[in-house]
Amino acid sequence: MFALIDCNNFYASCERLFRPELRLKPVVVLSNNDGCIIARSQEAKDLGVGMAGPWHLVEPHLQKEVALFSSNYTLYADMSARVMNNIARYTPDVEIYSIDECFVSLAGFSNLEEYCSRMRHSIIRNTGIPISVGVAPTKVLAKLANKLAKKHNGVCILDSHDKVSEAVADFKIDDLWGVGRQYRKKLNSFNIHTAGDFRSQPLEWVREHLTIQGVRMWYELHGKSCMPLSTVTERKQGIRSSRSFGMLTNNYVFIEEATASYATRVAEKLRKDKSCASLLSIRLITNIHKPETAQYYKSIIITLPNPTNNTAELVAHAIKGLKQVYRTGYLFLKVEVFATGLIPETEVQLNLFSTYDGSTNNKVSALMDKLNGHYGRGTLRLAAEGFEKKWSMRRRYLSPDYTTDWASILRVI
DNA sequence: TCTGGGGTCCTAGGACCC
DNA sequence: TCTGGGGTCCTAGGACCC
C-alpha cells in the first residue's frame, strides 16, 4: 500500500503558523513578483478567491478582507524539511514528491486507519502544519484518496475493491493525477467525466487515444501499480534559474546583472547536486500578456569548452550568450539561465589541450559556498551581479525568515 | 501598475550508422 | 526495371506536475 501525505494549503499554513491572530482568517500567498495567487487558506477559498489567477484582478472588496503574503521560500523549505523529518519517523520508505507532499510505502503495515491517524496527529502537533493522508494500492489511487481525505477527517483508506469502486465513481476526471486541461477536454469529448468512466473504458481504447501515461493511469486505477516508490533522488536533468524583473526593462545593464545573478544561482545548485553542466542556455523574453507591445522570445545554447560548475566561468559564458540574444527596441520581462548536459562532478573529462584548472577555480567556489552558507546568500559575490539590483522581483508582503534567521526569531513576552 | 518558477516524461521526425 | 532493414541519438514541442 502507498500513502500520499500532503500538507493542506501549505504556504498559507506556513505563514499563519507564526501569526496566530490569522488562525481563522483568509490568507493568500502570491507567486514571485507578487503576481498570481498560489496558495489560499480555507477561509480564502470560502470567500471565493480563485487559484492561479493574477491578484490584481481579484475584486477590490475581497482584497481588503485577506491577509496577503509574498512567497517566502526560505520559510517554506525549512517547514517542509520539518514535516518530512517527522514523517520519516513513521516509515522508512519516503519519496519526497514536492515541497508539500510525499509518497510513503506502508507495505506490511496493519491497522492502517489507526496508524495513519496517529501519524497525522503527531505531525500536526510537532510542526503546526495540517496534513491529509490518502492510502491505496497505487500512487494514482493514493492521490485520489488524499483528495477525499481533505474533504473528510484527514485520513482516507481505500483498501478494498468496493471502496475503490465507490471512490472513483464520482471523482471528477480533471481532479485525477495526470489529467490536465488538454486531456480533460479530450476525455470529455468522449463523454468521460469521472475517474470511474475512464476506468471502465477498454484498455484498447486507452491505448488508441492516449499515450503510455494514460495506459499507466488506467492500470493504476484498476489497482495495478505501475509507478514504484523512488526513494533515491536521481541526478537532475537540467537546472534552471529565471525570474521576472520587478518591472519591464530595456536597460542592458540591469539585464546583464540579472543574468550574472541567475548564473550564480545555477552554479550553486549544480555544486549542491555535485554536477557539472556541459551546455548552458540563455533565453530572453518579453511580456506575452502585453500583445500590443513588440514581442521577443529567443534562446541560445552554448556548448561549454569543458563541463563546469564554477561560478565565474558560468557567469562569463552566460553574459556572452546574453549579448548574442539581446536586441534593442524591446521591453524585456525575464531572462532564463538553464544548465543541461549534466554529468557528475567526478566524471568530468578534460580534453588534451584544455588549460582549465578545475581545482584552483573550485577552491574559490567552495569558499563562496562556505561564506554564503554561513553569513547568508550573496555575502560574497561577483561584482557582475550589481549592487543595487533595481531589477529584483517585487516582494511587498514578505514575512520574516522566522526559522532560519537569528534576527527574525519570534520573541514571546 | 500588476499575470511565477522549476521540474518531469513522452512523441514524432530527422540525421546518421551499418 | 530497379534502390532495405533495423537500429541509435538528438531535438523540438507538447503535455503534465506542484
Side-chain angles (χ1 to χ4, degrees), chain A residues 107-178:
Chain A
F109 287 54
S110 50
N111 279 332
L112 291 175
E113 186 95 44
E114 197 257 324
Y115 191 79
C116 290
S117 290
R118 196 144 47 82
M119 167 169 72
R120 176 167 173 271
H121 284 124
S122 138
I123 286 156
I124 295 174
R125 191 181 62 236
N126 291 349
T127 64
I129 300 291
I131 61 165
S132 304
V133 185
V135 179
T138 67
K139 283 184 168 180
V140 166
L141 287 171
K143 272 281 215 183
L144 188 150
N146 185 280
K147 291 222 173 178
L148 298 178
K150 285 205 158 58
K151 289 187 190 150
H152 299 109
N153 59 357
V155 176
C156 172
I157 316 265
L158 301 179
D159 56 357
S160 74
H161 216 76
D162 289 349
K163 285 185 196 167
V164 170
S165 297
E166 198 192 324
V168 299
D170 301 323
F171 196 85
K172 271 182 34 208
I173 192 77
D174 31 323
D175 286 339
L176 200 62
W177 189 41

Side-chain angles (χ1 to χ4, degrees), chain A residues 7-19:
Chain A
C7 302
N8 303 352
N9 318 323
F10 182 54
Y11 298 168
S13 299
C14 288
E15 293 295 348
R16 74 174 164 194
L17 192 53
F18 299 92
R19 294 279 302 276

